[in-house]
Amino acid sequence: MKSTIQVTKSSMPDFEEYIEEIKDLWDSHWLTNMGEKHKKIETSLTKYLDVSNIVLFTNGHLALESAIAAFNLTGEVITTPFTFASTTHAIVRNGVEPVFCDINTEDYTINVNKIENLITERTSAIVPVHVYGNICDVDKIDKIAKKYNLKVIYDAAHTFGVKVNGIGIGNFGNISMFSFHATKVFNTIEGGALTFKDKRLKKKLDNLKNFGITGPESIKSVGGNAKMNEFQAAMGICNLRHIDEEIEKRKKIVDRYFKNLSDIKGVKLLKAQTGIKQNYAYFPVVFDGFKKTRDNVFEELMKNNIFTRKYFYPLISDYECYKHRYNSNDTPIAKYIANRVLTLPLYADLELEDVDRICKIILK
Ligand SMILES: *Cc1c(COP(=O)(O)O)cnc(C)c1O
């Protein structure tokens, strides 16, 4: 009986390394509210992500909700339906209306040529998503935003450590959101961050994640609670020590998948964008004109205890909670890809022999 392979496996430091890191919490009894670990990982992440400002959160989703809240956005926000539930939910939970733009056929990010047609006098922002580690056309989005005076908040949950022409991806738009969830390239168990250039945003975001508290007897604004605690931060400190090694291992796995699956009729792989330092976050395959359908491949791998994910399927506009307001045929490329995409297992410790075995089952 071959062992089970999940689509991902959370990166963890050695047990002893984590224990060593959290030991002093038993001296300080300081468990949350921006303690020493929080300060340390904040500094390290600012460096690693090559950004000027960062605010840490207990997860990526609340970070994104806070980013939208920080600008008091109203009316409509242009985004894509080819993403995780979080992106659209964050917009809706702020009382703003998502307007779905279609995606590109090659990199699955927002089609910048279709944005302007969707802009109305109610549009207040664009929330594009960097998908699978691929980045959006940040220059064109910047031009459109300037022309129409719109805010840009990137969902950068998939692009930890990605750089474009040597610049950290968290430097684009007004704010970028990173997720440090257990399943992401870098994790703090649960966790997230906002990065931004305008340092005046720091206070506002700090208040949004901590009840609007500005001093022992001063609460100036309405805020929630979305702070990263010390155990999360300690996990981040440990995981960040090994991140380059982890990404290097992911690269080897992606290279192996490419070796096995390139030039196969009906099997479309995600090409690397030029000028990008990649993070190898996901390995999506689009089955289009292959001898088996996406769902056949999914089932067959499952029979062999190999678990893949139809990520992103269904399209957000087809969700139970949204389908009465949207028609997924309005974004035909997104719909086409969602019906054919499968993300294959990818994590640092995945054995190359297992990659070969997965590919063999697919091609059989
Ligand atoms: C993971 C993810 C989020 C949410 O992040 P959490 O840390 O899980 O709250 C948002 N958007 C995308 C695209 C994601 O993959």
Side-chain angles (χ1 to χ4, degrees):
M1 187 64 191
K2 292 281 196 335
S3 59
T4 295
I5 301 174
Q6 298 294 345
V7 68
T8 188
K9 189 168 145 187
S10 299
S11 294
M12 294 172 85
D14 284 343
F15 178 69
E16 288 75 20
E17 184 180 347
Y18 186 64
I19 294 304
E20 192 53 41
E21 190 60 50
I22 61 173
K23 245 182 196 152
D24 49 2
L25 297 178
W26 267 260
D27 300 325
S28 67
H29 284 243
W30 188 306
L31 304 185
T32 185
N33 286 56
M34 286 64 82
E36 289 304 316
K37 308 286 174 197
H38 185 282
K39 277 184 203 141
K40 196 169 158 187
I41 191 67
E42 198 172 47
T43 307
S44 315
L45 283 172
T46 304
K47 271 197 206 119
Y48 190 86
L49 294 173
D50 180 38
V51 292
S52 35
N53 300 284
I54 194 166
V55 174
L56 304 178
F57 287 81
T58 194
N59 59 53
H61 179 78
L62 286 174
L64 189 56
E65 282 199 11
S66 302
I68 296 167
F71 291 126
N72 295 311
L73 296 182
T74 57
E76 298 169 359
V77 166
I78 296 171
T79 184
T80 63
F82 191 72
T83 176
F84 182 55
S86 170
T87 322
T88 302
H89 286 347
I91 296 166
V92 172
R93 283 167 58 85
N94 271 284
V96 195
E97 189 182 339
V99 172
F100 291 125
C101 183
D102 210 353
I103 59 170
N104 297 317
T105 47
E106 293 306 314
D107 62 19
Y108 317 133
T109 64
I110 192 164
N111 184 336
V112 292
N113 298 318
K114 293 190 176 165
I115 294 177
E116 288 195 71
N117 269 343
L118 298 172
I119 295 174
T120 70
E121 66 272 13
R122 297 185 66 223
T123 309
S124 58
I126 310 172
V127 178
V129 185
H130 302 308
V131 183
Y132 302 133
N134 269 344
I135 66 160
C136 303
D137 184 343
V138 289
D139 294 333
K140 186 70 200 279
I141 290 169
D142 190 51
K143 280 202 188 93
I144 296 169
K146 286 212 169 83
K147 182 170 166 191
Y148 294 93
N149 193 26
L150 305 175
K151 299 288 186 222
V152 178
I153 301 169
Y154 281 105
D155 181 332
H158 288 188
T159 42
F160 184 85
V162 169
K163 287 186 176 171
V164 49
N165 299 319
I167 302 167
I169 195 62
N171 289 294
F172 297 92
N174 297 94
I175 300 183
S176 294
M177 178 278 284
F178 291 90
S179 164
F180 309 145
H181 182 259
T183 56
K184 302 297 202 288
V185 170
F186 165 78
N187 84 76
T188 60
I189 309 170
E190 292 262 9
L194 296 177
T195 65
F196 47 92
K197 278 199 180 136
D198 181 358
K199 65 173 189 287
R200 289 169 302 181
L201 280 169
K202 173 127 177 91
K203 259 191 198 142
K204 191 170 231 169
L205 294 170
D206 279 339
N207 292 338
L208 276 165
K209 75 168 182 186
N210 190 25
F211 306 107
I213 295 171
T214 53
E217 296 177 14
S218 154
I219 293 174
K220 286 196 183 142
S221 56
V222 180
N225 179 9
K227 303 183 296 288
M228 178 182 282
N229 70 49
E230 291 291 277
F231 288 82
Q232 291 173 288
M235 189 66 149
I237 290 168
C238 296
N239 278 336
L240 197 62
R241 286 188 193 118
H242 309 284
I243 190 70
D244 289 332
E245 204 182 308
E246 294 267 311
I247 291 175
E248 195 50 41
K249 283 189 188 165
R250 283 173 171 271
K251 178 183 187 314
K252 290 213 171 78
I253 292 154
V254 166
D255 287 347
R256 188 69 157 234
Y257 270 128
F258 262 92
K259 186 168 164 276
N260 286 330
L261 298 176
S262 286
D263 302 318
I264 307 261
K265 187 180 172 291
V267 176
K268 192 174 145 197
L269 309 180
L270 188 64
K271 282 191 209 72
Q273 294 170 313
T274 50
I276 305 296
K277 180 185 177 276
Q278 293 178 261
N279 69 354
Y280 309 95
Y282 297 89
F283 196 81
V285 176
V286 170
F287 294 97
D288 187 9
F290 185 54
K291 58 187 174 186
K292 303 176 212 172
T293 65
R294 182 269 309 271
D295 290 356
N296 292 154
V297 176
F298 174 84
E299 298 285 337
E300 217 164 300
L301 287 168
M302 195 154 68
K303 275 186 215 145
N304 287 276
N305 287 326
I306 297 163
F307 296 92
T308 57
R309 268 194 73 191
K310 299 173 191 176
Y311 196 60
F312 303 103
Y313 173 88
L315 220 52
I316 294 197
S317 36
D318 281 330
Y319 284 7
E320 221 45 52
C321 52
Y322 293 127
K323 66 181 182 193
H324 63 286
R325 292 161 59 177
Y326 298 97
N327 181 352
S328 56
N329 293 315
D330 293 344
T331 54
I333 305 295
K335 183 157 184 153
Y336 194 87
I337 301 298
N339 284 334
R340 288 166 180 78
V341 72
L342 193 65
T343 54
L344 302 184
L346 175 56
Y347 48 88
D349 292 335
L350 184 62
E351 301 286 345
L352 294 178
E353 291 74 52
D354 283 329
V355 174
D356 293 344
R357 187 158 67 90
I358 291 165
C359 295
K360 226 172 166 175
I361 295 168
I362 294 172
L363 298 175
K364 187 180 64 191

